[in-house]
């Protein structure tokens, strides 16, 4: 089963092990980005719901008491919709980081040491997003709820934006804040809002659900516009321009346009599952585009290729065997979780 290949050591970590015709270095490169895509999709709709929570909670200064109560009720529905899931969804961020550390420790060390302030920002936003609903529910005081509602929205928007900037910096191999990275960060926020709108259309009823197609369509249009800007900024770099003009990136960009069109049609015609699936496809296409543009280099800042950065045998073989046992268990857990809480929530349900 194991077929270690002598590739002529390229670096101290160089090792190439093949299982069933697939190099484990390539397999783990794909697995790590698959973990990232799952996290961005599952927790992405939680982030999107947080942004919509802020938009649906705005009331005019002269709003009547009934209008304020309606907004408050819709905010409760937003929290109740994601309540059973968001803790579990965040596990995929840990799985992504753990997979990167276990399979490509040199890349993990380089990325996390170069972007530690950015990643502390992501953690701070995630903590804020996690704390805010708990405090929000503790008191009926309007000012209290206003500030904790703002904290929830700030964490829900800040985390995906900073993660998008991190992904952009990873792709470019830079440590500062590049304009293309900012574009990718904003695009991830828009994509999360589109996913959040599709999720709320599925999980809620009444005026809140009816408003979601408009939110989703606008967010999808914004996502396409922001990705286009980011691609233009990336293309200003000659090496990246050549990579973007290769067949795989062109196919992924074309597929994203088709998926966005599918999202809009499904949202307008009232097919929430198809809408959510299209949002998932857009997330997968975005993460795949980053992976394709990187490969075979896995960390442009150091120049390490996938083959050079993978841990050696037999560690990678043990890691692969362990993952083959654990990942199906994790997927089964999520299948049970989403089955147990399937269907729309009760309109009177709270977080």
């Amino acid at each position: 089963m194991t077929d270690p290949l002598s590739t002529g050591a390229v670096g101290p970590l160089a090792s190439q092990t093949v299982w069933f015709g697939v190099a484990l270095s390539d397999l783990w490169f794909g697995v790590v980005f698959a973990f990232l895509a799952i996290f961005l999709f599952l927790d992405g709709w939680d982030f999107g719901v947080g942004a919509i929570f802020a938009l649906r909670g705005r009331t005019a200064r002269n709003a009547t008491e009934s209008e304020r109560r309606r907004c408050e009720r819709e905010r409760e529905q937003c929290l109740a919709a994601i309540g059973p899931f968001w803790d579990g969804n965040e596990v995929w961020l840990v799985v992504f980081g753990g997979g990167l550390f276990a399979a490509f420790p040199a890349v993990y060390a380089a990325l996390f040491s170069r972007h530690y302030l950015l990643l502390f920002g992501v953690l701070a936003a995630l903590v804020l997003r996690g704390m805010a609903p708990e405090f929000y529910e503790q008191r009926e005081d309007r000012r209290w709820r206003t500030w904790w509602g703002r904290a929830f929205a700030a964490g829900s928007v800040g985390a995906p934006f900073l993660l998008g900037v991190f992904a952009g910096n990873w792709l470019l191999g830079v440590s500062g804040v590049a304009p293309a990275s900012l574009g990718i960060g904003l695009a991830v926020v828009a994509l999360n809002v589109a996913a959040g709108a599709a999720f709320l259309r599925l999980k809620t009823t009444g005026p809140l659900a009816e408003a979601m197609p408009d939110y989703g369509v606008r967010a999808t249009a914004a996502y396409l516009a922001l990705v286009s800007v980011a691609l233009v900024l990336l293309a200003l770099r000659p090496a990246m321009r050549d990579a973007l003009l290769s067949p795989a990136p062109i196919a992924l960009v074309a597929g994203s346009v088709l998926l966005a069109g599918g999202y809009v049609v499904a949202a307008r015609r009232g097919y929430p599952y198809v809408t959510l699936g299209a949002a998932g496809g857009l997330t997968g296409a975005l993460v795949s585009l980053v992976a394709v543009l990187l490969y075979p280099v896995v960390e442009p800042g150091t120049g390490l290729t996938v083959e050079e950065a993978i841990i050696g045998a037999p560690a990678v073989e043990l890691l692969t065997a362990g993952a083959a046992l654990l990942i199906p268990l994790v997927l089964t857990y999520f299948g049970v979780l989403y089955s147990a809480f399937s269907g729309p929530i009760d309109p009177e349900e709270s977080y």
Side-chain angles (χ1 to χ4, degrees), residues 265-315:
V265 171
R268 291 300 187 202
R269 295 189 178 182
Y271 300 121
Y273 284 103
V274 178
T275 310
L276 193 59
L282 285 169
T283 305
L286 178 64
V287 174
S288 298
L289 182 60
V290 173
V292 165
L293 291 174
L294 278 172
Y295 188 85
V297 174
V298 66
E299 213 295 275
T302 60
L304 283 172
T305 65
V306 173
E307 186 178 342
E308 291 168 337
I310 192 70
I311 55 171

Side-chain angles (χ1 to χ4, degrees), residues 18-30:
V18 176
W19 279 16
F20 306 110
V22 179
L24 293 190
S25 55
D26 291 343
L27 175 67
W28 273 100
F29 181 74

Side-chain angles (χ1 to χ4, degrees), residues 1 5-6 20 29 41-42 48 51 81 85 172 178 187 207 210-211 229 238 250-251 264 311 328:
M1 185 167 58
L5 298 179
S6 176
F20 306 110
F29 181 74
F41 178 50
L42 294 184
F85 309 114
L172 293 171
E210 292 165 6
V229 171
I250 291 173
V264 171
I311 55 171

Side-chain angles (χ1 to χ4, degrees), residues 132-223:
E134 306 293 340
F135 283 94
Y136 181 87
E137 295 290 340
Q138 296 303 312
R139 291 171 59 177
E140 295 291 338
D141 179 76
R142 183 174 295 166
R143 178 173 293 184
W144 173 273
R145 289 200 159 199
T146 297
W147 280 105
W148 281 112
R150 289 173 180 170
F152 178 58
S156 299
V157 173
F161 171 71
L162 294 176
L163 280 168
V165 173
F166 171 73
N169 281 4
W170 183 359
L171 176 62
L172 293 171
V174 299
S175 56
V177 179
S181 301
L182 294 176
I184 293 173
L186 292 172
V188 171
V189 173
L191 180 58
N192 286 171
V193 173
F199 184 72
L200 282 179
R201 178 66 185 85
L202 194 63
K203 295 293 293 181
T204 61
T205 54
L208 179 62
E210 292 165 6
M212 289 305 104
D214 285 340
Y215 282 89
V217 169
R218 290 175 195 155
T220 303
Y223 170 71

